[in-house]
Amino acid sequence: MNSPATRWCVLIPCLNEEAAIKDVVGSVVALGAPVIVVDDGSDDRTPAIVAELPVTLLRHTERKGKGEALRTGFREALRQGFDAVVTMDGDGQHLASDVPRIVAAAQRYPNHIVIGARLIDKAQQPKARRFANAFADWGISWACAQPVADTQSGQRWYPRAALDLVDLPAENFVFEAAILIAASREKGLGVASVPIASRYQGEFRLSHFNPVRDVVRITTYTVGRVVHYGDVWTSYRRSRASRPIVFDTAAPA
């Protein structure tokens, strides 16, 4: 699946995903894509399961949060010479079958982060999570000075310019917001989205994302970034002036 011009891999950060991780990683391996898995200090069988698969496995000896897991994976991808990374969560919410569509969008929009945006079957999202996501989309789009669909999705294409932001001082779920904002404002990257299904109904473990605690953290960081860049009203107008770029195409053969 990798083109000669762009070498990319799939990065899967995980924490206590023994119920789903084998199928998630195996489905990506079946695509022929290189895979890096970062285990963030799991205390179940997750690392043992992944160790049996043909992937690069990195482990944190203690839990450091999703931001640090992504940071570890970015560094490994850069060390291995990859030009881009597709991230996926390890709980089964993201499907390997969506990856070719995300890659196709990245080829169409080469200077963009591409988000697998949960725009299909949104009614499946718990109400609290739906509200938290909508609020985050509004604020992070403002900080990015461009409209962004589903700023909280963990399935994303990060080009090299975004990977170079690996040392941003942000932790946990804030790191993903920080990457979007800095890539938009300091690297001049756009953001495009590919519609994917919302998958929440009872089949997944309880999310590590806390709709109160993590929204407060993300909001505090985002407000700080808006103030930092200074162009408060200009950036807000830009974020509201158009719709997010949504690229929908059937997976290429």
Side-chain angles (χ1 to χ4, degrees):
M1 290 183 61
N2 276 295
S3 70
T6 303
R7 293 187 66 241
W8 56 272
C9 67
V10 174
L11 167 61
I12 304 174
C14 58
L15 170 61
N16 291 340
E17 303 290 8
E18 65 180 5
I21 196 66
K22 183 175 181 179
D23 288 342
V24 172
V25 176
S27 65
V28 178
V29 170
L31 292 176
V35 181
I36 298 171
V37 178
V38 179
D39 177 72
D40 189 36
S42 292
D43 50 23
D44 66 358
R45 295 184 60 251
T46 297
I49 293 169
V50 176
E52 296 177 352
L53 301 172
V55 304
T56 298
L57 171 62
L58 305 176
R59 294 197 64 193
H60 293 164
T61 56
E62 58 185 23
R63 296 180 189 180
K64 298 183 178 181
K66 189 178 184 183
E68 192 61 29
L70 288 170
R71 192 176 281 119
T72 295
F74 285 2
R75 288 174 178 150
E76 178 63 16
L78 291 170
R79 189 192 71 79
Q80 293 189 28
F82 290 107
D83 304 307
V85 162
V86 178
T87 58
M88 291 175 55
D89 291 344
D91 62 357
Q93 287 193 50
H94 303 143
L95 299 183
S97 57
D98 289 324
V99 171
R101 298 169 56 235
I102 292 171
V103 174
Q107 293 171 343
R108 173 66 176 82
Y109 299 100
N111 295 312
H112 288 64
I113 292 173
V114 179
I115 298 175
R118 295 160 294 182
L119 302 176
I120 303 171
D121 299 328
K122 290 186 70 174
Q124 291 194 44
Q125 293 182 344
K127 289 184 179 180
R129 189 68 180 270
R130 197 186 318 168
F131 173 80
N133 288 350
F135 183 73
D137 288 353
W138 174 78
I140 293 172
S141 293
W142 185 354
C144 290
Q146 62 177 317
V148 181
D150 200 355
T151 59
Q152 300 307 293
S153 173
Q155 190 169 32
R156 302 180 179 183
W157 167 279
Y158 290 106
R160 175 58 189 262
L163 298 181
D164 287 340
L165 296 167
V166 63
D167 292 320
L168 277 174
E171 304 301 329
N172 299 303
F173 290 98
V174 177
F175 182 74
E176 291 173 295
I179 287 281
L180 285 176
I181 296 167
S184 299
R185 301 299 291 261
E186 298 173 21
K187 297 287 187 176
L189 297 183
V191 181
S193 297
V194 170
I196 64 172
S198 299
R199 305 179 184 95
Y200 282 93
Q201 294 178 347
E203 53 191 299
F204 307 113
R205 57 110 177 104
L206 185 65
S207 174
H208 298 305
F209 183 91
N210 184 299
V212 176
R213 178 198 63 205
D214 290 311
V215 166
V216 169
R217 289 174 175 174
I218 292 168
T219 300
T220 301
Y221 180 87
T222 301
V223 170
R225 291 289 87 191
V226 170
V227 172
H228 170 78
Y229 292 115
D231 53 350
V232 175
W233 297 115
T234 299
S235 60
Y236 181 73
R237 286 195 296 269
R238 288 176 180 172
S239 73
R240 308 298 291 176
S242 60
R243 294 181 178 274
I245 297 172
V246 177
F247 181 76
D248 195 7
T249 181

